[in-house]
Amino acid sequence: MKSILNFGSLNLDHVYSVEHFVKPGETLASLGYQVFPGGKGLNQSIALSLAGGQTFHAGKVGADGLWLVDLLAEKGVDTRFVETDGQHTGHAMIQVNSKGQNCILLYGGANAEISEAAIEKTLSHFSAGDLLVLQNEINGLPFLMEKAYEKGMEIALNPSPITSELLNYPLEKVTWFLLNELEGQTLSGKSLPNEICEALLKKYPQSRIVLTLGKEGVLYRDSQQSFTHGIYDVPVVDTTAAGDTFTGFLLASAAQGASIPRALELASIASSLAVSQKGAAVSIPTIQQVTASSLQLL
């Protein structure tokens, strides 16, 4: 089994339940408040581990985020590469409306304090063929990509949140692009799913494109294959960790040798189970729960 290094964000999620998202100039009373562990990096590491992947997390927290490191370890993630001397742990303010949709305000904190020395030290423990998983919630991504590529690692990028700076990163070094429609449109300049994939494959012919399409499921494309998978009929409680759960299960399944159709199936079931529970990291299922599930495609 190849090793999976997720160099990603660690956040404290402050979640507010609201009837609707706050509008400009509006003051709105929250219907509820909870604090959850979060950050796309943390969520994806937990999903990678619970899906059976040999998962290592690298990142940075402050003293207020030490419990996040403990949580990763409890979920089977190797945390030896997490630095704990940041000024403040990154955090998110999340509104969840009555339909289960969310909007998120991020503060980078320690996620934006990662040094090139820490990156090089961490990567020295990994080899060609290992998988590096990245999101866009930490600093230093271009340096990370360059150094990992030099080592012969595969790079999986979930370009969220999408930014103009990301368009100038060395994306030709990415093996896996895991995108939603908005991110796909931004990177490709196209709007239709197949056109998005075709444009990205023309620019990055060695890449594998995984494009999530909301109610339409997911589309996978590479230079030789194309697969789709639908969604499952579940009550939607909180969509916060759906994408991260999908990413973790798909990559971990592929790293363990699963076929692309099987990896898409497992990832789709896992994300469906996640949206039926409140919270982000705490809603991610285990591989045993996923394989035992009797969910039916819509």
Side-chain angles (χ1 to χ4, degrees):
M1 184 190 302
K2 65 177 65 179
S3 295
I4 304 172
L5 170 64
N6 185 8
F7 220 124
S9 55
L10 297 163
N11 282 344
L12 301 171
D13 282 355
H14 300 271
V15 180
Y16 300 84
S17 300
V18 294
E19 279 293 331
H20 61 266
F21 298 143
V22 178
K23 301 173 184 177
E26 180 184 22
T27 299
L28 182 67
S30 173
L31 302 176
Y33 167 71
Q34 292 175 286
V35 180
F36 294 102
K40 296 189 74 63
L42 180 139
N43 296 339
Q44 289 180 18
S45 277
I46 290 176
L48 286 160
S49 180
L50 294 181
Q54 185 179 351
T55 307
F56 299 79
H57 191 96
K60 194 169 188 176
V61 296
D64 55 338
L66 294 178
W67 67 282
L68 300 178
V69 184
D70 293 338
L71 174 63
L72 285 172
E74 290 170 9
K75 299 295 185 179
V77 179
D78 191 312
T79 61
R80 73 183 77 176
F81 305 117
V82 179
E83 296 182 302
T84 58
D85 58 348
Q87 288 193 350
H88 300 286
T89 301
H91 65 256
M93 296 179 63
I94 303 172
Q95 297 177 60
V96 179
N97 69 14
S98 57
K99 297 180 180 179
Q101 298 171 320
N102 67 77
C103 63
I104 303 173
L105 175 65
L106 288 174
Y107 170 68
N111 296 315
E113 299 171 4
I114 297 168
S115 68
E116 291 186 354
I119 289 171
E120 291 194 290
K121 182 178 179 181
T122 298
L123 291 181
S124 70
H125 294 269
F126 296 86
S127 306
D130 288 337
L131 177 64
L132 173 65
V133 181
L134 300 172
Q135 311 83 35
N136 196 27
E137 292 184 347
I138 62 170
N139 67 298
L141 285 193
F143 186 79
L144 260 167
M145 291 179 179
E146 296 284 0
K147 293 300 179 180
Y149 187 80
E150 288 174 9
K151 292 181 69 68
M153 298 178 72
E154 287 188 8
I155 300 172
L157 175 65
N158 172 211
S160 179
I162 195 82
T163 61
S164 58
E165 291 83 5
L166 188 140
L167 299 177
N168 296 317
Y169 292 174
L171 300 181
E172 71 279 359
K173 295 176 168 57
V174 173
T175 306
W176 294 85
F177 287 95
L178 298 113
L179 313 152
N180 62 27
E181 288 180 272
L182 175 60
E183 293 154 0
Q185 290 170 13
T186 302
L187 290 184
S188 69
K190 303 294 183 178
S191 56
L192 297 178
N194 275 309
E195 291 180 353
I196 290 171
C197 293
E198 288 168 6
L200 290 174
L201 286 170
K202 185 175 182 179
K203 293 178 69 175
Y204 315 115
Q206 302 305 312
S207 66
R208 303 170 183 177
I209 313 299
V210 182
L211 183 65
T212 56
L213 303 170
K215 293 181 179 179
E216 300 303 314
V218 59
L219 169 64
Y220 171 92
R221 288 280 302 273
D222 60 32
S223 61
Q224 298 182 343
Q225 302 178 100
S226 177
F227 300 103
T228 61
H229 197 282
I231 64 169
Y232 294 89
D233 185 16
V234 296
V236 176
V237 175
D238 186 349
T239 62
T240 306
D244 297 332
T245 301
F246 182 93
T247 293
F249 269 77
L250 183 132
L251 292 174
S253 299
Q256 294 172 83
S259 67
I260 296 299
R262 178 59 172 164
L264 292 173
E265 179 186 22
L266 292 171
S268 299
I269 294 172
S271 61
S272 295
L273 294 175
V275 302
S276 65
Q277 304 292 327
K278 282 189 176 182
V282 295
S283 71
I284 300 171
T286 65
I287 186 62
Q288 292 80 10
Q289 290 171 318
V290 169
T291 55
S293 173
S294 58
L295 296 181
Q296 299 296 316
L297 281 172
L298 284 174

